[in-house]
Amino acid sequence: MYAIIKTGGKQYRVTSGDVIKIEKIAGEEGKEVIFNEVLALGDKIGTPLIQGASVKATVLKQAKDAKVIIFKKKRRQNYRRKNGHRQNVTLVKITDVAAK
């Protein structure tokens, strides 16, 4: 069975055993986290959430994502700005998708 969860302003389709990369959440490596914002569970769609449904996951790693380069330029104006950004992410492994 799959579930659609919401975390960090994004939605993810997960099943048991999946490893996903999400925006940083609080939790140490090896600890369990619970996602209560379940939007859909199999064929059942919530309005907006499914009451009593939850997804359990284990934190595998707290890391930084790949660098994104931001480059601004205005032609013929000698204007160039280069900047970089690395987003903090959390790798989690989904252990259980549970209804009520």
Side-chain angles (χ1 to χ4, degrees):
M1 181 186 310
Y2 72 90
I4 297 177
I5 61 170
K6 181 179 174 184
T7 179
K10 299 176 183 65
Q11 298 174 5
Y12 301 91
R13 183 185 189 272
V14 297
T15 57
S16 186
D18 285 353
V19 176
I20 59 171
K21 181 169 51 173
I22 61 175
E23 285 198 25
K24 184 174 181 171
I25 58 174
E28 299 175 11
E29 294 180 12
K31 298 287 183 178
E32 186 178 80
V33 292
I34 299 172
F35 299 105
N36 291 321
E37 292 191 31
V38 179
L39 304 173
L41 195 61
D43 294 335
K44 187 175 180 186
I45 298 174
T47 56
L49 302 175
I50 295 180
Q51 297 298 323
S54 65
V55 174
K56 293 181 183 177
T58 305
V59 176
L60 296 179
K61 189 176 182 182
Q62 300 280 8
K64 283 193 165 191
D65 209 2
K67 182 175 273 195
V68 177
I69 302 296
I70 298 99
F71 186 73
K72 299 178 183 179
K73 180 180 178 179
K74 293 184 182 177
R75 64 184 192 157
R76 296 187 293 272
Q77 305 298 320
N78 196 24
Y79 176 83
R80 292 182 294 273
R81 300 292 180 263
K82 183 179 177 184
N83 203 346
H85 176 75
R86 289 187 73 187
Q87 184 71 32
N88 291 321
V89 294
T90 304
L91 255 63
V92 295
K93 181 174 183 174
I94 306 300
T95 56
D96 186 32
V97 177
K100 294 181 183 176

